[in-house]
Amino acid sequence: MREWSLKVTLRHLGRPGCSDAVDTMTPVTAPPLIDSDVLERVLTASLAKGGEMAEVFAEDRQISSAILDDRRIEELSSGRERGAGIRVVIGETTGFAHTADLTESGLLAAAEAAAAVARRGGGRTETVGLPARQSAPEHDFVLPSEVEKSAKLELLSRADDAARSAGAAITQVQVGYGDSRRRVLIASSEGMHSEDDQIRTRFNVSCVATGDTGMQTGFESIARTEGFEVFGRFAVEEIARIAATRALGKLDARPAPSGELPVVLAGGSGGILFHEACGHGLEADHIVKDASVYVGQVGEQVASALVTLVDDGTVGGEWGNYAVDDEGKAAARNVLIENGVLTDYLWDWLRARKEGRPSSGNGRRQSYQHLPMVRMTNTFLLAGKENPDELVAQTPKGVYVAKLGGGQVNTATGDFVFGTSEAYLIEDGKITSPLRDANLIGNGPEVLRRIDAVADDFAMMPGTCGKDGQSVPVGCGQATLRIGGITIGGTAA
Amino acid sequence: MSDLVALAERIVAKAKAGEEIEAYVARGHDIEVRAYDGEVESLSSATTGGIGVRVLVANGSEGARLGFAWAGSLDDEVVESAVDEARDNATFATPDPDVAFATPDGVPATELDLWDQSVADTATDEKVAIALELERRVRAADPRIRQVSSADYGDERVEVALASTTGIRSFTQRTAAFLSVSAIAGEGSDSHTGTGFSVARGFAGLDLDRAGVDAVERSTRMLGATKVPSDRLTVVFDRRVVSTLLSIISSALSGEAVVKGRSFFAGRMGEKVATGSFTLVDDPTDPRAFAAAAHDAEGLACRRTVLIDSGTLAGFFYDTVSARRAGTSSTGSAVRGGYSGTPGAGCRALVLQPGRHDQQAILAVVGEGLYVQSVTGVHSGVNPVSGDFSVGVEGLMVRDGGLAEPVREVTVASSLQRMLQSVLHVGVDIEWLPGIAAGQTLAIGDMQLSGS
């Protein structure tokens, strides 16, 4: 619920849109969010009218964030949200209701609302019994709640100082810090009974640089599924310096070209290319509805033989990680494209059930107030063998993209865009003039076939992925690579 | 109603000496039905509620410190801990003389009836039936409709109470209902998508025909679309796209962006920033606007603000803090993203002063160019600080004053500054759309199309 309905706005605007970031485990002794006997009674009640599957998803989320803007610590915010979503499935129909009331009576009321769809299903009296709870894995992260607020705020001031000292033309700096702890518990009539404890930490810097040609912006972030200890490995001054340098560099930028040119994407520049060019199109909810260009393509060559694409929610500390998905299924490493051949799609429980196969552990939801759907975790292209510098040297004319912003795709047509936030011309095999920001546009299967070189310098980047009104953290990764030709949406003729 | 106001007042009463407290309390009921392939794919219903508490602690001559906390619950114990947490957070903020809560400014709130009881009174079965009917009609409308990936009905009832130790008391309630459908048209290996929707205050105001016809027309007319060669040309933007464009332009008209040096409009008050036919107003007191409101998110009366007057930069919009920083007063333009967000300056009901022509007449006058039906990559290719503008588009060429062959996989680019100076025609065809801006056809000259 919002002050006015963003849901409506997002819904009609439609397609998955993903952007730069920024915006996991518990001691075994922590009590579960809901006791087993209560869960069994709620699940039994959920099925009393004839549903085929019932599930309780409980969540307790604590969030804190801080913003430094215009040299002031403007806002320190703390929030807490807890509740449960109950889903009852009968045939092809899902009933769903959620409540912030985790007492047995609150849960039973939600169960009754969710089960309303099953009223024509006929009665059913069996009792649901749950197996022993699969506890969240133990971890040694520094919990956000164990860190003094002053220690979090000190990071903001350090980053502000570093950004402003990067150049006199830096005229404004905004620094954001955020952490969250999300405990979830999933129990279903199909014997699922697991929990997870997800700790996330993010830090981002946005700079404005002002020069004769107007203003330019630079952004950089880190976002990890880890605790406060990440700041022992990532220096906030370095994040600030990168953001500031990015804004300063564009003050001399010339308009991006228009028309088709070869494009070299730097390692770790985004990987959002694959997230948009094929990641969304491989989500089984689009596949089962015949709303993707990749329908019926398993076993087919859908990309250059240099492309091996993986979705993996278990990569140490990455932003898209979790131990179990929001349906209780363990995260896994799923190979989607191997040497250019499509090997599989991404699955959640509902779509996998339809095809009589197991979920791939990709059922995710923004919160207990949402139904799960198929989502990516960390999606990345495996590194190749070439030297990244030589790859540029072998490109007579083109565009070098050092950093990407967000992107968007229409899965049914395969057409997608992604934006640059730091790019340069390549002339005679050398990186030359900086370019103003622009979107690039292409068609997924076509662009994947035009990848003609992949280097050996792999890196990941965090992002926030939006789909059907729900946002979840994801990772994207790739080595330096070249696309033989793609349309660049600049203003230069 | 009264229970939310009473809760807000109870929170405010917890203020200690030297402290100001503001409480935002919200509750919503919503339902959503998705139809697919003649069946109900999902039916969701819920009641949600939460509070957002801001605490200001006086800090002598240096100003005050602000802290915020929120919770997704209306339970008393949760409320208590949110107040304590906000108070604790305040001790860490930088003291700031401009940080303050709104105080009543004497502007009377417009009486608006934004509540349609039919949202609550209509039976769930009827809501399910309209979603199923929408799907059925779109599937049956044209043999080239290959798939309807979703057909949704949704509605919500939202109540918000605000109170503060600085004298603010407001209560607002609104309803909204929507229909939305996403169609895929196909011929051979060619597929294209089109969405249609209808929004209204209540169930009865929804236009089933319109939603269906839009989805069918927008998907089928794109069949056979190709990439065209790069060109510099006039672009006619569809109403829905213009609503998005106005929303982006407004972020550069935010007093907060201006005072913090993040707007290309900074320092240009009174200058000619657009062509003379361009007059942009934010008027949340117009009840036809989707986000119309009597009170802003700090409890002040919403009011009409002229932002660009016949091409001349005439005003910025402010919430309380940004107004104080700029040495002016709030324009009643505080908005929030719900109970978990703090207020910031934002528009609710942007609209252009209408020109003389509808879309068809504008196409006829333009003669040759590109009509843009939808855009992609707005968040990755439009920068309201630098003004750089580059978006992916789908649409139809304009030839001999009418719509001609469909176009896909191309971009159009310019800068927001240049686009405002290149407005050729503003449509008379105002359509109130979901979001913060009305839609009207808009023709802009001298844009770069990038294609093959």
Side-chain angles (χ1 to χ4, degrees), chain B residues 321-346:
Chain B
V321 175
S322 61
R324 287 170 63 104
R325 286 205 205 298
T328 179
S329 44
S330 171
T331 53
S333 303
V335 297
R336 316 192 186 215
Y339 56 76
S340 64
T342 50

Side-chain angles (χ1 to χ4, degrees), chain B residues 15-297:
Chain B
K16 296 177 178 171
E19 229 178 52
E20 305 283 0
I21 291 187
E22 177 208 63
Y24 177 97
V25 182
R27 180 169 55 208
H29 301 270
D30 60 82
I31 186 164
E32 199 169 324
V33 187
R34 173 162 291 185
Y36 176 70
D37 207 11
E39 307 254 8
V40 177
E41 179 179 310
S42 61
L43 172 60
S44 309
S45 62
T47 300
T48 49
I51 56 155
V53 181
R54 294 199 294 162
V55 174
L56 261 184
V57 180
N59 204 65
S61 60
E62 291 183 287
R65 298 173 187 266
L66 178 67
F68 176 68
W70 60 272
S73 166
L74 301 177
D75 294 345
D76 278 335
E77 65 179 290
V78 176
V79 168
E80 188 75 51
S81 68
V83 174
D84 290 342
E85 190 66 25
R87 186 175 279 144
D88 185 52
N89 284 345
T91 63
F92 296 93
T94 309
D96 184 343
D98 294 324
V99 164
F101 295 154
T103 50
D105 62 2
V107 176
T110 308
E111 292 274 330
L112 292 174
D113 182 10
L114 306 175
W115 186 269
D116 184 328
Q117 188 61 28
S118 74
V119 165
D121 292 347
T122 304
T124 302
D125 279 349
E126 270 188 79
K127 297 176 181 178
V128 168
I130 196 171
L132 289 167
E133 175 62 11
L134 176 61
E135 203 228 2
R136 193 195 63 76
R137 282 202 200 180
V138 173
R139 281 191 191 272
D142 189 302
R144 296 170 296 170
I145 296 296
R146 182 178 275 176
Q147 180 64 283
V148 179
S149 46
S150 63
D152 298 345
Y153 167 84
D155 64 45
E156 62 183 8
R157 291 172 272 158
V158 179
E159 302 163 277
V160 177
L162 253 173
S164 76
T165 47
T166 55
I168 293 294
R169 291 289 181 281
S170 76
F171 177 76
T172 54
Q173 52 178 11
R174 62 165 62 81
T175 55
F178 72 92
L179 285 171
S180 168
V181 60
S182 188
I184 304 175
E187 263 179 343
S189 62
D190 191 25
S191 288
H192 289 279
T193 57
T195 58
F197 58 90
S198 171
V199 291
R201 293 265 167 247
F203 188 82
L206 292 172
D207 189 340
L208 183 65
D209 272 338
R210 173 68 199 282
V213 166
D214 263 5
V216 173
E217 183 185 37
R218 284 167 178 267
S219 56
T220 55
R221 74 182 177 188
M222 288 304 297
L223 287 168
T226 56
K227 190 169 181 167
V228 292
S230 301
D231 196 5
R232 194 164 278 268
L233 41 59
T234 295
V235 175
V236 179
F237 289 100
D238 179 81
R239 293 190 289 187
R240 288 192 206 169
V241 177
V242 173
S243 172
T244 304
L245 288 183
L246 295 181
S247 308
I248 294 165
I249 290 167
S250 79
S251 56
L253 292 162
S254 152
E256 186 176 346
V258 170
V259 79
K260 286 181 175 172
R262 285 198 189 94
S263 164
F264 57 80
F265 287 123
R268 302 198 60 195
M269 189 60 75
E271 289 182 28
K272 196 87 173 160
V273 296
T275 43
S277 60
F278 196 90
T279 292
L280 179 63
V281 174
D282 182 44
D283 187 6
T285 66
D286 186 331
R288 296 170 300 174
F290 182 75
H295 299 277
D296 79 350

Side-chain angles (χ1 to χ4, degrees), chain B residues 63 154 224 359:
Chain B
Q359 183 187 306

Side-chain angles (χ1 to χ4, degrees), chain B residues 228-229 231 233 363-364 366-371 396-405 407:
Chain B
V228 292
D231 196 5
L233 41 59
L363 291 172
V366 165
E368 308 291 318
L370 174 70
Y371 165 77
L396 301 124
M397 294 307 295
V398 179
R399 300 197 192 280
D400 301 326
L403 295 177
E405 75 275 14
V407 175

